[in-house]
Amino acid sequence: MTGYLYQCELALLELAERAWDNATIEVRMELLDDIEFLDPETHTPLELLQSKHREAAGPLSETGKDFWRSVASWIDALKALSDPSAATMPLLRLVSTQVAPRDTFFHLLRSGPDRDVRKALTRMEQIASDADGPGTTAKDRALFIALAPERRYQLVNAMIVHDGAPVMSDLNPSLAKELGITPSGHAEAALDAIKGWWYRMAVELLERKNPQRMRASVGAQELACLRDEVLHRYAEKDLPITETLRNLTEAELAGYEDQLVVSQMRWIDLPDDEIAMHLRSYHHARAQRSAWLRTFKITPERLEEYEQELHYEWERTFRRHTRRLRNGTPDAERQEVGQEVLDDTMDKVASKPARHGSTTAAWIGHGTLHGLADQADTTHPDRALGWHPDYTDLCKQREEQEQ
């Protein structure tokens, strides 16, 4: 069990290391290998990684099943990739918590000045051909020897042994360093938040039988975005505002005329100048949220949480203002109540931060609420909102008229 968890956390560590140098790289798990790093354009593997965790470090064994099963796995994976040439061969990495003794081919396959592929290949061929070798690896060793000599060289040339990797209990300091989490009172909470997100991503990578949750890969940009979001949460830094809040043109206002967001405001008899004011917030908040997502300044999950927090403030305000109404209450009074719901809700959400620990411009919250009001006829009932006490009935009537 620890080995599987180690694989998940090692994938996070490796992705965090790469995120600093190549923000476009992507990772996936358990498809061709334990961990794979992909070219973001072609989605072909740049690296296949075998993860081997042993609590008691000890030396790597040249006849051990950990290594030879990795070799067999790589041979199968490369066949699935149509046996790539030397020029397109992915890197084949063995990451092990055990140590490579100096007199073994493992030591010759480490990166660095002592690397010697020819000597490593000769030694591997000797081990693989030994008829007295352990039966547990006989099939895997035979698979290696069955390769053409040139192919064996290409395979071994692509291998890199990364020995002495930290064991599971020692991963957190390495993760914190690569994620840019500095020692502080919130360091542990920040790391836990990132790891919690990562385990959700890992489940989606591994759960291929459920198309609604399945995903092909996770990108370094996603991790960098989440990392920045978590670190900003504790560093109290604000999201960048790149939109200029300006009055909308007549053409822009006319483009919204048939949308539900305008109908919601007309149902409570708002004058045109106030509708234009609210549409300005709606227009620019939508563009700003899109820019944050596009430039990986905030995650979709956090934006959804933000909308839920705003919806909660609307619901409390809506219920407080509408509970005194009766069936016979005149429509003029109902419209007045709707205006109070709108005004009070806008006041409530003005200081709600889009990201915890930050300050968010009031018009972002105002515009986001209008975005939810614009979807009241199509979204889930728990996400719908409106200003008029009878907005749900009015939405239905509007839909019937459009049909």
Side-chain angles (χ1 to χ4, degrees):
M1 182 65 183
T2 304
Y4 286 118
L5 295 175
Y6 183 76
Q7 177 183 333
C8 285
E9 297 206 11
L10 180 63
L12 173 59
L13 175 60
E14 294 273 340
L15 185 62
E17 290 175 349
R18 287 161 173 76
W20 298 106
D21 299 320
N22 184 355
T24 64
I25 201 162
E26 299 175 357
V27 67
R28 68 185 179 194
M29 291 192 291
E30 291 292 345
L31 193 63
L32 292 174
D33 212 342
D34 292 348
I35 302 168
E36 302 166 52
F37 291 96
L38 310 176
D39 183 306
E41 295 183 359
T42 64
H43 293 283
T44 56
L46 298 171
E47 179 179 331
L48 303 179
L49 188 154
Q50 282 278 316
S51 164
K52 302 301 179 184
H53 182 272
R54 295 290 178 266
E55 290 286 354
L60 280 163
S61 169
E62 290 185 312
T63 59
K65 61 183 180 181
D66 275 359
F67 175 73
W68 288 106
R69 286 183 180 174
S70 296
V71 171
S73 175
W74 286 328
I75 292 172
D76 289 342
L78 294 174
K79 286 180 180 177
L81 294 171
S82 301
D83 285 330
S85 66
T88 58
M89 177 80 77
L91 185 66
L92 308 175
R93 273 182 76 215
L94 175 70
V95 176
S96 175
T97 55
Q98 294 181 296
V99 178
R102 289 193 62 86
D103 59 346
T104 63
F105 60 72
F106 294 115
H107 195 271
L108 297 170
L109 291 177
R110 298 169 70 193
S111 58
D114 294 333
R115 181 174 174 83
D116 192 324
V117 175
R118 289 290 181 187
K119 286 184 178 180
L121 173 59
T122 299
R123 178 63 179 163
M124 283 178 60
E125 289 172 336
Q126 291 173 354
I127 298 293
S129 303
D130 187 359
D132 295 327
T136 53
T137 62
K139 184 177 179 181
D140 301 326
R141 289 184 287 115
L143 197 62
F144 174 71
I145 288 297
L147 297 174
E150 181 182 353
R151 193 58 176 168
R152 285 203 296 270
Y153 176 81
Q154 290 178 352
L155 184 74
V156 176
N157 189 49
M159 293 180 190
I160 289 185
V161 173
H162 180 169
D163 66 324
V167 295
M168 183 73 173
S169 57
D170 293 334
L171 272 183
N172 276 359
S174 298
L175 277 169
K177 179 181 178 181
E178 293 300 334
L179 290 166
I181 300 174
T182 56
S184 70
H186 299 299
E188 185 175 352
L191 183 58
D192 285 346
I194 294 174
K195 287 172 68 173
W197 168 84
W198 176 251
Y199 272 104
R200 290 195 298 274
M201 294 299 100
V203 168
E204 292 183 16
L205 287 174
L206 297 171
E207 193 174 25
R208 296 189 179 88
K209 293 183 179 180
N210 186 344
Q212 293 181 334
R213 297 189 64 175
M214 180 181 65
R215 62 184 293 154
S217 61
V218 177
Q221 285 181 313
E222 294 179 78
L223 174 58
C225 177
L226 190 280
R227 176 195 65 208
D228 291 347
E229 187 173 283
V230 170
L231 295 183
H232 280 297
R233 183 185 307 170
Y234 296 106
E236 298 187 355
K237 293 186 178 180
D238 300 337
L239 286 163
I241 298 296
T242 54
E243 281 291 304
T244 301
L245 193 61
R246 58 169 178 78
N247 290 328
L248 302 186
T249 65
E250 291 297 325
E252 287 172 325
L253 290 171
Y256 287 110
E257 187 59 37
D258 295 331
Q259 291 190 208
L260 179 57
V261 63
V262 172
S263 297
Q264 291 259 34
M265 289 185 273
R266 295 208 183 282
W267 291 338
I268 60 173
D269 199 29
L270 278 193
D272 287 346
D273 59 342
E274 284 197 44
I275 291 176
M277 177 191 70
H278 286 293
L279 284 177
R280 177 176 58 182
S281 296
Y282 173 53
H283 179 92
H284 292 295
R286 184 171 62 173
Q288 186 62 75
R289 294 195 314 271
S290 177
W292 286 341
L293 289 170
R294 189 173 59 253
T295 58
F296 295 95
K297 296 297 187 293
I298 196 169
T299 58
E301 293 82 4
R302 173 54 203 159
L303 268 185
E304 185 173 350
E305 290 175 0
Y306 176 55
E307 291 177 349
Q308 290 171 344
E309 291 165 6
L310 300 186
H311 189 280
Y312 174 71
E313 294 298 337
W314 163 83
E315 185 176 12
R316 293 178 66 245
T317 304
F318 185 83
R319 291 183 183 278
R320 186 174 72 250
H321 283 292
T322 59
R323 66 189 175 203
R324 70 175 185 270
L325 295 176
R326 299 293 179 266
N327 289 336
T329 303
D331 191 53
E333 185 175 339
R334 302 176 91 82
Q335 288 178 333
E336 184 177 340
V337 168
Q339 293 181 15
E340 292 173 356
V341 171
L342 173 62
D343 293 341
D344 287 358
T345 303
M346 293 298 162
D347 290 342
K348 286 285 187 183
V349 305
S351 59
K352 283 284 182 183
R355 185 164 60 193
H356 295 303
S358 68
T359 301
T360 302
W363 54 268
I364 298 289
H366 296 166
T368 300
L369 275 174
H370 285 305
L372 295 176
D374 196 41
Q375 304 169 36
D377 59 343
T378 57
T379 192
H380 190 276
D382 290 342
R383 299 271 293 169
L385 62 80
W387 316 118
H388 194 284
D390 307 315
Y391 80 92
T392 52
D393 293 335
L394 292 169
C395 283
K396 292 177 182 177
Q397 293 173 17
R398 181 178 181 272
E399 184 178 2
E400 291 170 357
Q401 291 171 1
E402 290 179 346
Q403 292 175 350

